[in-house]
Amino acid sequence: MKKQYQNIFLDLDGTIMDSGSGIMKSVQYALDHFSLPNEPEEKLRRFVGPSLQDSFMRFYGFSEEKAKEAISYYREYYPEKGMYDAFLYPGMEECMKKMHEGGKKLVLLTSKPLFFATQIIAHFGLSPYFFLEIGTELKEQHSDKSFLMERAIEKGGFQREDCLMVGDTVYDIQGAKDAGIDSVAALYGYGERKEIEQAEYSIEKPLDLLKIVF
């Protein structure tokens, strides 16, 4: 018997929208301050999704203190020039509208600080679709999404078996496993396929999600 998921957790970067351009330019602006100009796109792409602190430490070997300094440079550029340098994936708004009208509770669930995330979804006209918006505080700097899922479950009063996480990176899929909920790998995003194949489902495009939730 097909599961009936009622609460759909949606990652932002790489799942709802392609925000890579603005993020990568902001990361490069930060790296410029450490004499690391013109970094290859394949390295910058890895910053789309995980927390900035984890990324600077993992991909560039920065200390925690140096990563925080890099984040401060990133945030000089991002709000002014990078935040809205993005576009919705084709079909995503239609998918969200149909889920919302079909009685599903949509939850924004992102490692991005909520301060930025709420402005972005408002800018793109998506706020009315969301039942809950869950993100990190500006000072929270890690990519463990299971704690955000726990926060959503508690705030929403949800049952785990009714929840479904949709994301494009290993942080989304592993976070869902750790939180005890099912997940969907968004194969069109920024994650490595081999890292997200443990998800219960996968989709090639946003509208494919409708076949899973209805």
Side-chain angles (χ1 to χ4, degrees):
M1 184 176 172
K2 186 178 177 182
K3 284 192 178 183
Q4 291 295 311
Y5 301 104
Q6 291 302 316
N7 315 306
I8 315 302
F9 299 173
L10 293 169
D11 169 54
L12 182 61
D13 300 322
T15 301
I16 293 175
M17 63 181 58
D18 187 338
S19 41
S21 178
I23 292 172
M24 289 189 286
K25 288 173 187 172
S26 303
V27 170
Q28 184 58 69
Y29 175 84
L31 293 172
D32 286 345
H33 290 78
F34 297 93
S35 302
L36 291 163
N38 306 314
E39 286 295 279
E41 184 179 319
E42 58 265 27
K43 287 193 81 172
L44 299 176
R45 280 177 62 88
R46 294 185 290 181
F47 281 79
V48 183
S51 85
L52 290 170
Q53 182 160 314
D54 283 354
S55 296
F56 281 118
M57 292 173 71
R58 181 179 173 190
F59 303 134
Y60 283 91
F62 283 14
S63 65
E64 188 173 331
E65 189 176 337
K66 194 172 177 182
K68 285 178 179 174
E69 185 184 354
I71 291 167
S72 71
Y73 290 129
Y74 176 98
R75 288 181 179 161
E76 285 178 7
Y77 184 99
Y78 183 73
E80 298 270 328
K81 300 177 182 175
M83 191 154 68
Y84 304 129
D85 184 359
F87 62 88
L88 294 178
Y89 284 109
M92 178 50 79
E93 186 168 8
E94 182 187 348
C95 178
M96 292 174 66
K97 186 171 186 284
K98 286 187 174 176
M99 289 192 292
H100 179 71
E101 290 173 347
K104 305 299 180 183
K105 290 180 177 175
L106 302 187
V107 177
L108 178 70
L109 200 137
T110 176
S111 294
K112 187 185 289 294
L114 200 56
F115 176 78
F116 296 128
T118 53
Q119 294 179 69
I120 292 166
I121 63 167
H123 175 82
F124 285 93
L126 302 178
S127 303
Y129 300 123
F130 285 107
F131 175 75
L132 262 183
E133 297 164 6
I134 302 291
T136 58
E137 301 301 321
L138 281 167
K139 290 182 179 178
E140 286 179 323
Q141 297 293 341
H142 56 81
S143 298
D144 179 6
K145 278 201 163 168
S146 62
F147 91 103
L148 292 174
M149 294 177 210
E150 295 290 352
R151 188 178 290 172
I153 289 166
E154 184 182 349
K155 279 195 171 186
F158 301 145
Q159 299 298 314
R160 288 173 204 276
E161 60 269 24
D162 298 332
C163 299
L164 185 67
M165 177 70 211
V166 186
D168 68 305
T169 70
V170 66
Y171 302 101
D172 302 304
I173 308 309
Q174 186 58 51
K177 292 258 184 236
D178 293 343
I181 67 176
D182 288 350
S183 63
V184 179
L187 300 179
Y188 54 82
Y190 282 78
E192 297 283 338
R193 281 199 178 211
K194 63 181 181 295
E195 291 185 343
I196 57 178
E197 59 190 12
Q198 60 177 316
E200 280 73 25
Y201 311 92
S202 63
I203 53 175
E204 295 281 355
K205 58 186 185 299
L207 284 169
D208 291 345
L209 185 57
L210 298 176
K211 299 169 192 168
I212 296 170
V213 303
F214 289 113

